[in-house]
Amino acid sequence: MDPEPTAELLTIDQLAERTGVTVRNIRFYSGRGLLPPPRLRGRTGLYGPDHIARLQLVGELSALGFTLSAIERHLERVPHSAGPEELALQLALLTPWAPEPLEEVERAELDRRAGRVLDDADVEKLVAFGVVQHLDDGRVRLQGPGALAAGLDSLAYGLPAAFWQRSHEVIEQHTAALAEDLMKLFQDQVLQPYRDAGRPAEERTRLAAALSHLKPVTVQGVVTAFGRAVNRNIRERVDTEKEPDDAAG
């Protein structure tokens, strides 16, 4: 895709400085077909906004844990003619809906953050809560400071680890199904009409912005709906327990 006349064109060194990607990696990505060829001015290759956006997309995919092969497969569906707006939409689609600040720490560091020495039973309960994962080298993977604080608070409640583990499994099961249904709805009613319309340029920025707002609204909606459902379940249970007394009266 040819840049607009006013688009800034960069040498490979300037592109590396702008994006934080080394010249070596830029050349490597180009060789693997992840970047379109540069525009030539004489013998100098020049790079535009589409190259910047594509490098940002590659970086985001890599940060999400995609292998190089997986990144190549994904970008095969994004033609080299895609401009910055199309790539920005792709980036918006891939940006995590909620932060996952994973950390890998030694057991001693886990104790330090807990403020006390945790015995093996405590750690297993944190595993059951979904807060901690064991690693092969003896370290643990933490899900983030907020999750750890909640897990440590739960240790004081005295409920068995099996209860917390099953609770975690139930949450995972139902939220996975919810995520799948919501993603299908978004694909069917938003993305597919956009594709069927030929990916109109004027829709790309609007879709990317809408998606960035949809994520927090949806997450908050799930939390609110869950709270209402629990409240409704409590009321129904209370009403059911009252029925025998009412009948006797």
Side-chain angles (χ1 to χ4, degrees):
M1 178 177 182
D2 292 334
E4 296 295 327
T6 57
E8 181 183 9
L9 294 178
L10 308 171
T11 65
I12 193 169
D13 291 322
Q14 292 170 328
L15 179 64
E17 183 178 358
R18 176 72 62 85
T19 62
V21 180
T22 65
V23 169
R24 180 180 179 181
N25 280 343
I26 292 172
R27 287 179 173 146
F28 174 74
Y29 292 149
S30 297
R32 298 294 293 252
L34 300 180
L35 292 178
R39 291 86 176 176
L40 291 178
R41 182 176 294 167
R43 299 182 63 180
T44 302
L46 297 176
Y47 300 82
D50 51 339
H51 293 93
I52 295 173
R54 205 169 181 97
L55 282 173
Q56 290 171 338
L57 182 56
V58 170
E60 184 67 26
L61 287 167
S62 180
L64 290 171
F66 282 64
T67 64
L68 180 60
S69 296
I71 293 174
E72 289 174 341
R73 287 195 299 272
H74 181 80
L75 290 182
E76 283 175 357
R77 302 192 294 269
V78 184
H80 283 174
S81 59
E85 294 82 7
E86 175 69 17
L87 292 167
L89 176 57
Q90 290 287 328
L91 188 59
L93 290 170
L94 292 166
T95 301
W97 282 55
E100 294 183 294
L102 303 179
E103 289 185 88
E104 297 180 358
V105 302
E106 304 286 346
R107 275 291 302 269
E109 175 62 15
L110 177 62
D111 291 342
R112 189 191 70 78
R113 297 191 187 191
R116 63 183 178 87
V117 176
L118 300 171
D119 59 30
D120 290 343
D122 289 336
V123 174
E124 291 309 312
K125 286 181 181 179
L126 292 176
V127 171
F129 302 160
V131 172
V132 167
Q133 291 176 289
H134 288 297
L135 298 176
D136 293 338
D137 60 5
R139 295 183 303 158
V140 295
R141 179 179 291 122
L142 298 178
Q143 298 295 322
L148 178 59
L152 292 171
D153 286 343
S154 299
L155 290 177
Y157 299 154
L159 293 175
F163 165 79
W164 292 109
Q165 182 172 1
R166 182 57 185 145
S167 297
H168 182 66
E169 290 170 354
V170 169
I171 291 170
E172 287 286 324
Q173 174 187 347
H174 290 284
T175 52
L178 176 61
E180 184 176 347
D181 288 344
L182 286 174
M183 288 299 95
K184 187 176 187 308
L185 181 66
F186 184 77
Q187 288 279 345
D188 292 346
Q189 298 197 12
V190 179
L191 279 184
Q192 196 56 50
Y194 162 73
R195 291 166 180 155
D196 291 342
R199 293 179 167 85
E202 64 274 11
E203 285 292 298
R204 294 169 191 162
T205 303
R206 186 187 67 81
L207 270 181
L211 185 57
S212 68
H213 289 289
L214 172 67
K215 293 175 181 180
V217 170
T218 301
V219 171
Q220 185 58 50
V222 170
V223 173
T224 301
F226 175 74
R228 289 174 178 168
V230 172
N231 292 343
R232 185 167 58 251
N233 188 276
I234 291 171
R235 288 195 299 268
E236 290 172 353
R237 286 177 178 273
V238 170
D239 290 341
T240 300
E241 291 171 358
K242 285 182 177 179
E243 286 177 3
D245 294 337
D246 293 343

